[in-house]
Amino acid sequence: MGNSRSSLQLQPEEIEEITEETGFTKQQIERLYARFSSLDKQSHGYLTREDFLRIPELAINPLGDRIVHAFFYESKNTDEEKVDFKDFVRVVAHFRPVKKNPVKNKLNTRMEKLHFAFRMYDLDGDDKISKEELLAVLTMMVGPTSAPSSCCPLPRGPSSRPMRTRMT
C-alpha cells in the first residue's frame, strides 16, 4: 500500500470479526481502509457527512443524501455525526452480491438488503413508506413531474384508503 496512513491499524482479531460479519476478505478490508483513510482528510478516525458529500459519485447521485444518511443510521457509534471504519464497512457490505451461505455473513442476506433498501424510502423512520415518501424519493430520482398523483396511483386496500407498506 505504500504510505503509512493506509496501512491497516486494526488488530488481527478485529479483521477476523469484520470478515465474519461482512464477508469481506482481508485484502478487501485493507482496500476499504485505504479508501476510508483517503476520505478522512483530517485523520480523525471517523467520517462526517461532509466527508461523504465530497465523494463525486455521491454528489451527483439523486439518492446520494439518502445513501449518506444510511451510513449514519446504521452507525453503532453513539455520536450521530461520526462513522468509524467498522460502521463504514458494515454499510458497504449491503452492496455486496448475495452469497449462497447467508448464515456466514448476516449483513449479506436478502432480508438485510431488503431492510437497507426499505430504509432508503422510509424518510421519517416510522417503519412505513407512505405515498408522500414514495413520491418524494421518486422525485429525487427523476425530478418533479407535472401531476405526481396521476403518474403513480397506489393500490387501495379494502377500506378504499391507500395501503401503506410496513417493514417489521
Side-chain angles (χ1 to χ4, degrees), residues 85-101:
F85 178 65
K86 289 180 181 178
D87 292 332
F88 176 78
V89 174
R90 282 184 197 104
V91 174
V92 172
H94 290 295
F95 295 95
R96 295 188 67 223
V98 174
K99 297 292 183 188
K100 292 185 192 288
N101 185 5

Side-chain angles (χ1 to χ4, degrees), residues 58-71:
L58 285 177
I60 63 170
N61 187 320
L63 292 179
D65 188 54
R66 296 299 305 154
I67 294 169
V68 170
H69 175 75
F71 279 92

